[in-house]
Every structure is written in structure tokens, then in C-alpha cells.
Amino acid sequence: GLLLLIVLCNIAICILLYKICYLISEENKILSTIIMFICDMTLITHFIVSRPQIFSYITLLGLIYALELYIHKKDKKYLIWIPIISFIQINMHASLWIMLFLFILCYVIDSFHCKNLRLQGYEKKPLFIAIIIAILVGFINPYGYKAITFIFGSFLDSYMRIFIKELLPFSINNDLCKHMAIIILIIGLIYTYFREGNVKVRYICLFCGTMILGFMAIKGFSNFILVAFFPLAYFFKDMVPKDLRNVFLPVQKIINIIFISFACLVIIGFGYVYITNKNTITLKHNAQSAIDTLLRYTDKEDATVYSSFNDGGYVEFRGLKAYIDPRAEYYLKKNNGKADIFKEFYDLQ
């Protein structure tokens, strides 16, 4: 069931990526499919895991799609989605709620018309109203303002950076960082090549902003991937044919069927094989035999298992109380108000 949910979320990510590319490329199907495929494969390789962040990828892409629709269609109705997305994000993955507004900021900057700075300029009043409502909606959650503010103290905690590798800064010795460095170089050169054209400032802001986040903590590169690829659809919209039927007229039906089928099979097949073989999702947990033994001789209600940071989730899944689990922020005294379990766990190592 969990694996199926991840695959369904990945399909939703692919659909949104395709929709965004299709919109800004002026309905270029081939280019949209290629960019969607490359972007999703990069996400699957590093960041599609059984964690709430996969829902955040959907909401962040949904936000971008709504904003692009507002700009291209000049219709205020699409801004209704901004408060809705804000509500979904704060209640499903609060730690990335602030990321919505960092993305929105890039669109706010581009909403001011200035030829010298190449700012596009579009109607700001409905956009600002939607943003204010989205901020207020963010407080509609079980924890109120604390759901919004807790991330700032947690992110800077020194013990968090010891145990959680994704909070480490950029390092060229890291395989993920090497991959990101190559992507930054290639896309950076593309931006440089098109610098004389009408490059959208919002795309430059998204690219640079998320790149800086990735340098600060490598988990930020997940957001970088979301926004780094789709602007290429705008750059190459006139260089790639818009429809296969214009290229392969004699065999248009066969080519279309093969192309669509191949794309779907590769995305689903590669994603399934890769995800099921990754260490981040295992069908059998390393602590399974230990927990099986404990359950034979202990009462679930009375026992508390001295679990490790990574095994705590599985301990709780089996119905036992865990000393600590991967919800790292919860075990910091500044958040729980009782004890600094995370520091104690570090000292006991």
C-alpha cells in the first residue's frame, strides 16, 4: 500500500510537471514530455522516498502551475488555489510551508514592471490578496503558530546536523552534490546562452534561490530540481517540434502510441524498480527479528524500546513505544518543552 501511494504521488508529480511545461512552451507536447521525464528521473534518483516530502513536491508544483495559469490566462480564479494549497501544506508537511512563500516571492518580484530589470509585470492586487489569505490560512492547524515557527530552531540545531545527513551543507565528495553540480553547470550555461532573450526573472530567482538552499543543506536540492528544469520548456519552445504528427505523418498513430506507452512504462517501471531497491524503502526492516523476539516476551502496553533514531518508526509501527524515532524536531527541548532527548541520544552513543 505504501509503495502504491508513492507511485501514485510520483504520477501526480509527472502530470504537474508536464502541465507546467506544456503551458509555458505554448503547447509543445514533445518538449514537455522530455523535460518532465528528465526532471522526474532526477527526483526519483535522490528524493522520491516514503516521507511527507513527496506530498510537498505536489503542492509546490501545484502552486507554480496556479501562478503560471494566472499569468498566462490573466484570470484571477486560479489564485483561489494558493490559500487551498497553503492549508494542505501546513497540515500535511508543516516544515515546508514556508517554502510556498519563497516560491511566491519570485513571482511577486516579477509582478513589478521594469524594463531595465526585465521584470514582466502583471496585476498585483489579486495576487497580494491571495498571498495574505494564504498566510492566514497557515494558522489553521492543530498547533497554531508553532507549526510555522518550529522549523527555524530545528534547522539550526547542531545535533540535527550530526544525525541527519540531508541537513549537511554542499560537499563535492557527496554523490548527490556531484550530480547537482553538473545540473547547475548545464542549466546555468543555458541561462547564459539565452541571456539576450526575454528570460523571465521569476525563473532566475527560483533557480538561484533554491540553489543557495541546496548549498546550505543538501535537502534543498529537492526544491531545486522542481524548479530548475521546467523553465527549459520556455527557452526551447521554438526549437523542438510541437507534435510528433508534424514529423512522422505516414506513421503518426503508431509513433504516438509507442511514444506514450514507452514514456509511461519507463517512468512507472524505473520508479518501481528503483524505489523498491533503495535503502530508504525496504519491505523487510533490519530490526524485524529483534522486535519479533521482544513481542514474544513483553507486553506492548508496558514496554519502551531503546531504539535508534532510524529504527524508532518501525518500533512504533509494530505497536511498541520507542525511545526516539525519525521525527527529530519533536525530541528537541525547544520544541517539546520537556527534555532534550536528541542530545541525550547523542551522548549515549
Side-chain angles (χ1 to χ4, degrees):
L2 181 61
L3 185 59
L4 177 61
L5 176 62
I6 295 169
V7 171
L8 290 175
C9 286
N10 189 55
I11 291 172
I13 290 169
C14 288
I15 292 171
L16 284 168
L17 283 169
Y18 178 83
K19 289 282 189 180
I20 294 168
C21 293
Y22 187 74
L23 178 65
I24 67 176
S25 67
E26 298 176 1
E27 302 183 357
N28 191 317
K29 296 178 181 178
I30 298 177
L31 182 60
S32 300
T33 303
I34 293 171
I35 294 174
M36 176 269 292
F37 179 77
I38 295 172
C39 182
D40 188 56
M41 288 302 100
T42 308
L43 268 179
I44 287 175
T45 303
H46 300 292
F47 295 107
I48 299 296
V49 294
S50 55
R51 294 174 59 187
Q53 65 196 51
I54 59 175
F55 300 113
S56 295
Y57 301 155
I58 296 172
T59 54
L60 290 169
L61 287 173
L63 173 71
I64 290 173
Y65 187 44
L67 289 168
E68 290 291 340
L69 281 170
Y70 167 65
I71 295 168
H72 284 80
K73 306 290 186 182
K74 296 181 174 60
D75 194 335
K76 291 178 279 190
K77 70 180 181 183
Y78 296 111
L79 295 177
I80 295 172
W81 283 101
I82 295 179
I84 295 173
I85 290 171
S86 174
F87 177 77
I88 294 171
Q89 183 66 51
I90 196 65
N91 285 282
M92 295 196 73
H93 194 198
S95 64
L96 278 184
W97 181 80
I98 193 69
M99 189 59 61
L100 292 175
F101 298 93
L102 293 178
F103 277 25
I104 290 173
L105 179 61
C106 301
Y107 285 82
V108 169
I109 292 171
D110 205 23
S111 69
F112 294 90
H113 182 70
C114 179
K115 267 192 174 182
N116 293 332
L117 296 176
R118 295 183 180 179
L119 298 176
Q120 180 174 340
Y122 35 86
E123 194 175 358
K124 291 176 284 294
K125 185 178 178 180
L127 176 61
F128 289 165
I129 291 173
I131 293 170
I132 292 170
I133 296 173
I135 292 172
L136 296 175
V137 166
F139 292 91
I140 305 175
N141 67 81
Y143 307 101
Y145 75 92
K146 291 183 179 179
I148 297 171
T149 58
F150 85 96
I151 186 64
F152 298 105
S154 305
F155 184 77
L156 299 174
D157 188 87
S158 58
Y159 293 101
M160 294 269 287
R161 288 179 172 266
I162 293 172
F163 281 99
I164 304 177
K165 293 180 180 179
E166 63 186 26
L167 293 182
L168 294 174
F170 179 91
S171 172
I172 200 62
N173 295 322
N174 185 296
D175 289 339
L176 166 61
C177 294
K178 290 176 183 176
H179 190 184
M180 293 302 105
I182 293 170
I183 292 174
I184 291 169
L185 178 61
I186 293 173
I187 297 180
L189 289 173
I190 292 173
Y191 271 89
T192 303
Y193 178 79
F194 286 98
R195 68 186 183 279
E196 298 300 328
N198 188 23
V199 179
K200 305 297 182 185
V201 170
R202 59 181 180 271
Y203 299 154
I204 297 174
C205 291
L206 285 170
F207 178 84
C208 295
T210 53
M211 180 180 65
I212 292 170
L213 289 176
F215 282 125
M216 293 170 60
I218 57 177
K219 70 176 294 184
F221 282 124
S222 61
N223 301 309
F224 171 76
I225 294 169
L226 292 178
V227 302
F229 288 96
F230 78 80
L232 301 182
Y234 174 77
F235 295 139
F236 294 108
K237 61 183 179 181
D238 297 322
M239 299 183 183
V240 178
K242 290 189 174 183
D243 200 314
L244 285 173
R245 287 174 294 182
N246 298 328
V247 183
F248 304 105
L249 288 175
V251 288
Q252 55 179 288
K253 290 186 178 179
I254 297 174
I255 293 295
N256 280 338
I257 292 171
I258 292 174
F259 185 79
I260 294 171
S261 301
F262 177 76
C264 292
L265 286 173
V266 169
I267 291 171
I268 296 173
F270 180 85
Y272 178 84
V273 172
Y274 187 85
I275 289 171
T276 52
N277 283 280
K278 285 181 72 173
N279 293 328
T280 48
I281 301 177
T282 54
L283 300 179
K284 183 177 180 181
H285 197 276
N286 293 332
Q288 181 174 334
S289 58
I291 298 301
D292 288 341
T293 302
L294 284 173
L295 289 174
R296 291 195 199 102
Y297 301 103
T298 58
D299 184 354
K300 284 185 179 182
E301 300 299 323
D302 299 328
T304 299
V305 179
Y306 178 64
S307 59
S308 70
F309 172 71
N310 291 316
D311 294 333
Y314 180 74
V315 172
E316 291 167 353
F317 172 72
R318 295 295 300 274
L320 292 162
K321 296 176 183 177
Y323 167 72
I324 194 170
D325 62 46
R327 298 173 298 167
E329 297 89 352
Y330 179 74
Y331 295 96
L332 299 175
K333 187 175 182 179
K334 66 185 77 173
N335 290 330
N336 62 45
K338 294 182 179 180
D340 209 337
I341 305 298
F342 211 93
K343 181 180 182 300
E344 181 183 78
F345 177 67
Y346 172 76
D347 293 337
L348 289 171
Q349 303 305 300

